[in-house]
Amino acid sequence: MDNQITKLPNSPANPQIPKSPNPHISAVLLSGGLDSAVLLAEEASRGEVQPIYVSAGLAWEQAERDAVARLLASGRVGSRVLPLVSLSVDMRDVYPATHWSIKGRPPAYHTPDEDVYLPGRNIILLAKAGVYCAAARLERLVLGTLAHNPFPDATPEFRSAMAHALSLGLAHTLRIDAPYAQVSKAEVVRRGASLGVPLELTLSCMNPTGTGLRAPYGDLSPTRHCGACSKCRERHDAFLDAGVTDTTHYADEANIR
């Protein structure tokens, strides 16, 4: 594989969605982060997968899209990964312009997870991806929710209700699974390392300092993490707890051990 990287395009206004001849393909919500990258690789080890990226107009999304492009171009997440589907649901008309996710000023390093909440985050991701799955005749949609996720749209009850509502409203049976719902982030890191996933190419940061696509074409160098937001803390702690060397590039290393 030539590992060439191209900038991910915005979704066309009226895409022609091919209907899959294989309804057993799993759709995977892929953000470019640790959890979704490892989930994609694990799912691909069992069968064909359809990665889906959903943009919502948040400050760090270009860096996420660059991370997704690098991850897929690496060829190290399995050979049964279909071309990326890129969708969008703009939430900037719902979240206030002063919200940290829009302004790009994320919560500080030691902020508890409970205080880093984006209302309806999984609702919008699953709704848009679910409509796509119905159009493509895919029957299973998975996301990388972890065991410690404290938010109301990360519960088994929510996923069950969402799958039921989408199945009814779309007249298409859709199952929503969260295979990591009882798994820690440290365990995800261990699984990723075991599978050979290029964890250094993933992005877990709400204020990345640069995007890799400014590097020479074809360069697989990762985007630099800020090292000062709560997502960077969560990422670094997971590597420490997993006993795996953290090779992430952090701009601020004051909290890095």
Side-chain angles (χ1 to χ4, degrees):
M1 182 169 189
D2 59 10
N3 286 342
Q4 289 189 338
I5 300 167
T6 56
K7 187 173 180 178
L8 300 183
N10 292 323
S11 305
N14 294 291
Q16 295 298 314
I17 299 175
K19 293 180 175 19
S20 171
N22 179 11
H24 302 296
I25 294 173
S26 290
V28 180
L29 282 171
L30 179 65
S31 68
L34 268 173
D35 312 324
S36 64
V38 177
L39 178 60
L40 181 73
E42 285 204 326
E43 292 290 327
S45 72
R46 292 187 282 269
E48 275 192 302
V49 293
Q50 174 61 72
I52 299 176
Y53 179 83
V54 182
S55 169
L58 306 182
W60 55 83
E61 285 181 354
Q62 186 55 61
E64 275 190 343
R65 292 163 72 87
D66 294 346
V68 168
R70 274 171 170 62
L71 183 69
L72 296 178
S74 75
R76 294 166 59 194
V77 288
S79 60
R80 291 184 282 188
V81 179
L82 298 174
L84 180 75
V85 167
S86 184
L87 307 174
S88 62
V89 181
D90 198 332
M91 294 297 288
R92 287 174 293 184
D93 54 359
V94 177
Y95 299 154
T98 55
H99 195 278
W100 53 265
S101 68
I102 304 300
K103 292 197 68 150
R105 295 179 181 173
Y109 195 84
H110 294 292
T111 303
D113 290 344
E114 292 80 1
D115 295 340
V116 187
Y117 179 46
L118 284 172
R121 176 68 169 161
N122 284 343
I123 294 172
I124 61 173
L125 297 180
L126 291 170
K128 189 63 180 270
V131 174
Y132 176 87
C133 286
R137 294 181 180 168
L138 303 178
E139 297 180 350
R140 181 171 179 259
L141 175 59
V142 301
L143 72 166
T145 297
L146 297 179
H148 68 271
N149 193 310
F151 304 130
D153 59 357
T155 64
E157 294 79 12
F158 164 76
R159 290 189 294 275
S160 176
M162 191 75 180
H164 183 62
L166 286 169
S167 296
L168 284 177
L170 295 167
H172 171 81
T173 300
L174 182 66
R175 193 166 95 240
I176 296 174
D177 288 339
Y180 294 166
Q182 302 300 321
V183 175
S184 70
K185 200 174 192 75
E187 175 59 21
V188 171
V189 169
R190 282 190 286 266
R191 292 186 186 187
S194 176
L195 285 168
V197 176
L199 302 179
E200 70 278 4
L201 298 182
T202 63
L203 179 72
S204 311
C205 179
M206 294 178 286
N207 190 26
T209 61
T211 62
L213 287 180
R214 294 174 187 163
Y217 185 79
D219 183 1
L220 286 177
S221 60
T223 298
R224 181 175 292 185
H225 289 60
C226 73
C229 72
S230 61
K231 285 295 182 184
C232 284
R233 182 257 307 157
E234 183 184 31
R235 177 188 181 94
H236 185 55
D237 285 352
F239 275 98
L240 293 176
D241 292 344
V244 175
T245 300
D246 185 1
T247 60
T248 305
H249 293 240
Y250 295 103
D252 183 342
E253 297 185 340
N255 294 296
I256 306 305
R257 293 166 280 163

